[in-house]
Amino acid sequence: MVDPNANLYIISKAPNGRGIIAQLPNSAWGTGTRVAISSTAQLNIDSTHNDPVGGDISPSGNRVLIQAQESVYYWDVMAEHDYLSVLQTPGVKLPYIREPKAQSICWSADEHGYYTLGEGKDQPLYLYTLTETPIVG
């Protein structure tokens, strides 16, 4: 996932969805040198699979989606954009039609919805519209 300031966030797949989140700062791009990851945290989602399979930070940077095999999770990141801290808290489950090979998720450009797409040939692209902002808590 990439935030509006070009910081990169990578989340490892792990049993029960407790992957490690790593941040690579935007200052690492274009240096031509190896970069050490110094900021990490543990993702807080419930899963019976080796998850997550996808994620996206909204264009404004204020919202995050994480896709697991059986669920989609949402976080409101607020003005601080402290993704590592926020993703350690439980997310809100959003509507999701389980796909046989769940693989990707992204925000719509207006942030009023999100798309999911499974892996493989001729997979349907699902659009989920948010009629209101999910309540975190």
Side-chain angles (χ1 to χ4, degrees):
M1 301 181 298
V2 180
D3 73 15
N5 296 318
N7 297 301
L8 176 68
Y9 297 85
I10 299 170
I11 304 175
S12 64
K13 287 184 175 183
N16 301 319
R18 304 293 181 174
I20 300 298
I21 309 161
Q23 177 191 16
L24 285 90
N26 60 13
S27 60
W29 304 119
T31 63
T33 60
R34 199 176 284 211
V35 176
I37 297 173
S38 59
S39 299
T40 62
Q42 188 171 29
L43 179 64
N44 189 348
I45 64 171
D46 293 320
S47 174
T48 58
H49 298 280
N50 193 29
D51 283 319
V53 295
D56 194 28
I57 296 172
S58 66
S60 69
N62 294 332
R63 300 165 138 192
V64 176
L65 293 170
I66 299 291
Q67 182 182 22
Q69 291 290 329
E70 297 176 344
S71 302
V72 167
Y73 296 88
Y74 165 86
W75 288 263
D76 187 341
V77 184
M78 310 292 188
E80 299 86 33
H81 293 176
D82 185 354
Y83 304 104
L84 294 177
S85 293
V86 169
L87 292 174
Q88 291 179 75
T89 65
V92 174
K93 285 187 179 181
L94 296 181
Y96 176 59
I97 297 168
R98 188 165 188 253
E99 299 164 280
K101 292 186 175 184
Q103 197 62 38
S104 56
I105 190 166
C106 71
W107 283 101
S108 62
D110 65 5
E111 298 184 26
H112 291 153
Y114 56 97
Y115 297 91
T116 65
L117 180 66
E119 179 181 6
K121 184 178 178 180
D122 299 323
Q123 295 299 309
L125 176 66
Y126 292 98
L127 168 61
Y128 301 87
T129 302
L130 298 175
T131 55
E132 58 185 61
T133 301
I135 298 173
V136 179

